[in-house]
Amino acid sequence: MAAAKEILLRRPVAATIRLTVPAGGARPATPVGPALGQYRLNLMAFCKDFNARTQKYKPDTPMAVTITAFKDNSFEFTVKSPSVSWYVKKAAGVDKGSTRPGHLTVTTLSVRHVYEIAKVKQTDPFCQYMPLESICKSIIGTANSMGIKIVQDLE
Amino acid sequence: MLARNFIKHFPCKNLSRHHILRDSVRPLIFFTSSTPQSSFSISASLSTSSSSSSSSSCFTDESFAAPYLSVRINCPKHVLDPFSDALLCFGASSVAVDEDIEEDNEDAASGSSLASKEICIESIFPVHEEVKMCISQAANSIGLKEIPKFKVEMGDEQDWITKNQDLFQPVEIADRLWIVPEWTSPPVPEAVNIILNPGFAFGTGEHPTTKLCLLLLQSLIKGGEAFLDYGTGSGILAIAALKFGAASSVGVDIDPLAIKSASHNAALNNIPLEKLELHLAPSENSSSGRETPLQKEQFDVVIANILLNPVMELADHIISFAKPGATIGISGILSEQLPNVKERYSPFLENISIATIGDWVCMSGTKKGEFIDNC
């Protein structure tokens, strides 16, 4: 199985690292430092690259980064925008979802909020080919599971 | 499989012609040498092992010497992905998985079926985090029956910083222009060598943007210019300008650690204070007009190698420091971000030219004579 893996990959992989970094705010300190330093990756290069690629997000938005470290100390990374639940909570202005979703509604969001969130999520590498409508439906589903109702218009 | 937009590939070979593909990381090398016209030559005897230990301590700051918790967790293989995500939600700073799992499985002495289905996760937590609670919450949230076994160790930022110092090795930017780390002697003593210890600041010569800016500087500086390095980081550009023959350099940065690093590097290159001024610019707290003690229209060459957002916001500010007819270089931007920057700067600049390495670009132009008011 190892041989098959290496045939598929361009280079042997040393490790996969996942962490959350604020957009435009990568620094060589924690959490980036220890996580990448352990695999002897070039911290400054990662920070500069990550910061440059996340300039279009609001500063300090927590971005989910997945780094593939190769054995020769080079690396690749992908950046995902925060989870839908983070956006929903932010848009609704709440810290947590409802303790009893389905029974207890914490707050409401408008259809317009859903649309805005869907537009941001569509720029994610994994959602690029999904129609906006499907993304919206999935956002509504997530919101409902957090006890946040979607209404046509907020007054 | 991976979208093009967000992936950065860092092949060793592309970054420098002299990469040696060994187990060690890419070399960062700063070479210094005495140039005929410059009065500040650096002797190679500066690079001793004692200086490296003292220099690492001079960069210790409370926020950087912060300890962290390093936790090894044995996680069942089939829930690796959801468990990693859950850990990140419940308080872990990062989650890393080694790919060399085959050897571990064969070595498992007990030979129980569980051992072959487990993967070891290395996770980092902030030092005040309740690790046990976080792990149990994460396990519960994905429906694991029992809490995975884990082991906690205290990690110290200092350790891996000094450990990774040997990652920096000499880098050749162009013919007879080298960047050498403080603890190595220059491979080519006759070339222009810039000795650096970057510490926590950006600018080792490895990154494409630094290279682009250094090459631009080399072509621009003929002797006697006043140079402004906006976003100086390790001070590499400011020092390089002086080595090429500029009359004076000024470095500005919002990060106090960068200023510290730059003044350390200036000393390494035997640069007297009157030649290289360093200023700490205020960050976003002061909204109107950054108060740096610099005069307008004072510089012949201005380079800003930062990021898209600061470069856009500070455009007027950066340009105001340049004399009419001076050359301004902007980098730290990706090629996809270039159109915005070009649009922002074209009211002020003419003869705009672009240099590219990989995804990174450096835009340079000369400041127009009459200052055109922009809205």
Side-chain angles (χ1 to χ4, degrees):
Chain A
M1 190 182 119
K5 249 165 83 168
E6 281 182 31
I7 289 171
L8 291 174
L9 298 170
R10 280 165 286 142
R11 289 161 290 174
V13 177
T16 306
I17 309 169
R18 251 178 270 220
L19 61 161
T20 310
V21 189
R27 307 246 175 298
T30 313
V32 177
L36 273 65
Q38 270 182 1
Y39 295 97
R40 296 164 67 79
L41 304 181
N42 191 333
L43 293 177
M44 277 304 173
F46 171 76
C47 290
K48 182 97 170 177
D49 208 298
F50 172 84
N51 289 340
R53 285 176 204 279
T54 52
Q55 287 290 283
K56 59 173 139 208
Y57 289 95
K58 225 166 122 178
D60 296 331
T61 310
M63 312 295 294
V65 190
T66 304
I67 303 167
T68 308
F70 297 101
K71 291 228 169 76
D72 57 2
N73 298 120
S74 57
F75 59 92
E76 285 180 357
F77 66 92
T78 59
V79 181
K80 262 173 64 169
S81 53
S83 59
V84 170
S85 60
W86 184 87
Y87 274 111
V88 168
K89 279 190 262 184
K90 196 117 195 304
V94 297
D95 259 340
K96 304 195 226 280
S98 156
T99 46
R100 289 176 53 209
H103 300 277
L104 204 59
T105 302
V106 176
T107 181
T108 56
L109 279 184
S110 79
V111 170
R112 176 141 197 94
H113 283 114
V114 175
Y115 175 70
E116 296 292 330
I117 298 175
K119 299 273 304 198
V120 178
K121 282 312 251 177
Q122 207 180 30
T123 62
D124 252 7
F126 302 97
C127 295
Q128 252 168 10
Y129 307 109
M130 286 169 67
L132 211 55
E133 198 187 322
S134 323
I135 304 181
C136 286
K137 285 199 185 140
S138 134
I139 294 172
I140 295 176
T142 304
N144 285 336
S145 75
M146 294 165 66
I148 296 180
K149 246 176 70 154
I150 307 294
V151 297
Q152 198 55 40
D153 258 316
L154 294 176
E155 313 79 36
Chain B
M1 178 167 94
L2 301 172
R4 265 171 293 129
N5 283 351
F6 285 107
I7 295 183
K8 185 56 189 166
H9 173 118
F10 282 95
C12 276
K13 292 198 173 58
N14 291 354
L15 285 184
S16 156
R17 278 180 282 148
H18 290 259
H19 276 152
I20 305 158
L21 283 182
R22 272 186 256 133
D23 287 339
S24 61
V25 170
R26 284 154 302 175
L28 295 179
I29 302 182
F30 298 126
F31 286 91
T32 58
S33 76
S34 42
T35 58
Q37 67 263 48
S38 93
S39 51
F40 19 79
S41 57
I42 296 179
S43 50
S45 61
L46 269 182
S47 49
T48 59
S49 55
S50 60
S51 63
S52 71
S53 54
S54 59
S55 57
S56 61
S57 60
C58 96
F59 291 116
T60 308
D61 201 54
E62 290 74 46
S63 60
F64 283 105
Y68 54 91
L69 295 175
S70 171
V71 184
R72 291 182 73 98
I73 309 171
N74 293 336
C75 155
K77 224 200 256 190
H78 63 282
V79 294
L80 176 62
D81 276 346
F83 188 58
S84 310
D85 286 337
L87 277 177
L88 287 172
C89 280
F90 282 103
S93 308
S94 78
V95 172
V97 178
D98 277 346
E99 292 293 316
D100 283 336
I101 46 180
E102 281 77 13
E103 294 124 53
D104 288 336
N105 292 340
E106 273 134 43
D107 283 353
S110 54
S112 66
S113 56
L114 269 184
S116 60
K117 294 206 212 111
E118 275 195 348
I119 266 194
C120 190
I121 297 181
E122 297 235 10
S123 185
I124 296 190
F125 284 77
V127 72
H128 299 299
E129 194 71 38
E130 287 272 358
V131 175
K132 180 152 186 207
M133 191 165 76
C134 172
I135 296 182
S136 70
Q137 278 177 337
N140 281 340
S141 76
I142 56 172
L144 276 184
K145 292 285 174 5
E146 47 181 45
I147 302 179
K149 290 198 279 288
F150 63 94
K151 191 173 99 161
V152 181
E153 260 172 26
M154 184 75 96
D156 187 11
E157 294 262 346
Q158 275 285 53
D159 299 334
W160 58 262
I161 293 169
T162 41
K163 186 168 82 152
N164 286 351
Q165 269 188 343
D166 63 336
L167 301 183
F168 301 157
Q169 292 191 25
V171 165
E172 183 179 11
I173 304 292
D175 189 33
R176 302 175 55 80
L177 173 60
W178 289 75
I179 321 280
V180 187
E182 190 182 342
W183 44 86
T184 311
S185 45
V188 182
E190 311 82 48
V192 176
N193 291 322
I194 302 174
I195 296 190
L196 273 204
N197 180 344
F200 282 99
F202 181 80
T204 52
E206 273 197 335
H207 199 270
T209 54
T210 318
K211 280 200 186 152
L212 285 168
C213 293
L214 281 171
L215 292 170
L216 177 65
L217 256 191
Q218 202 180 28
S219 66
L220 287 176
I221 303 280
K222 307 282 180 273
E225 288 92 345
F227 172 62
L228 173 61
D229 185 5
Y230 209 90
T232 191
S234 61
I236 180 175
L237 295 181
I239 295 172
L242 289 171
K243 295 215 148 266
F244 293 143
S248 65
S249 277
V250 176
V252 178
D253 207 293
I254 56 171
D255 185 357
L257 283 175
I259 302 293
K260 224 177 181 180
S261 169
S263 53
H264 178 83
N265 290 322
L268 282 183
N269 289 279
N270 281 351
I271 294 182
L273 280 177
E274 43 297 352
K275 292 265 185 184
L276 174 56
E277 273 176 46
L278 291 169
H279 295 289
L280 180 65
S283 42
E284 288 81 43
N285 297 333
S286 57
S287 51
S288 65
R290 325 256 150 167
E291 302 301 332
T292 35
L294 295 174
Q295 289 169 334
K296 306 289 175 192
E297 305 208 345
Q298 191 186 346
F299 299 97
D300 303 294
V301 181
V302 177
I303 294 193
N305 181 7
I306 333 178
L307 287 167
L308 175 67
N309 290 344
V311 147
M312 297 288 277
E313 277 169 33
L314 298 171
D316 302 318
H317 196 67
I318 293 172
I319 293 175
S320 69
F321 289 120
K323 290 182 191 160
T327 307
I328 298 179
I330 305 289
S331 192
I333 48 185
L334 299 162
S335 35
E336 67 208 19
Q337 299 168 338
L338 180 61
N340 290 344
V341 181
K342 218 167 161 182
E343 196 188 319
R344 180 78 171 89
Y345 279 79
S346 44
F348 311 99
L349 298 182
E350 48 197 7
N351 305 328
I352 293 183
S353 67
I354 314 286
T356 311
I357 293 183
D359 282 341
W360 303 92
V361 301
C362 177
M363 180 184 84
S364 58
T366 45
K367 179 172 173 180
K368 290 186 184 162
E370 320 83 55
F371 201 111
I372 297 178
D373 227 51
N374 92 312
C375 36

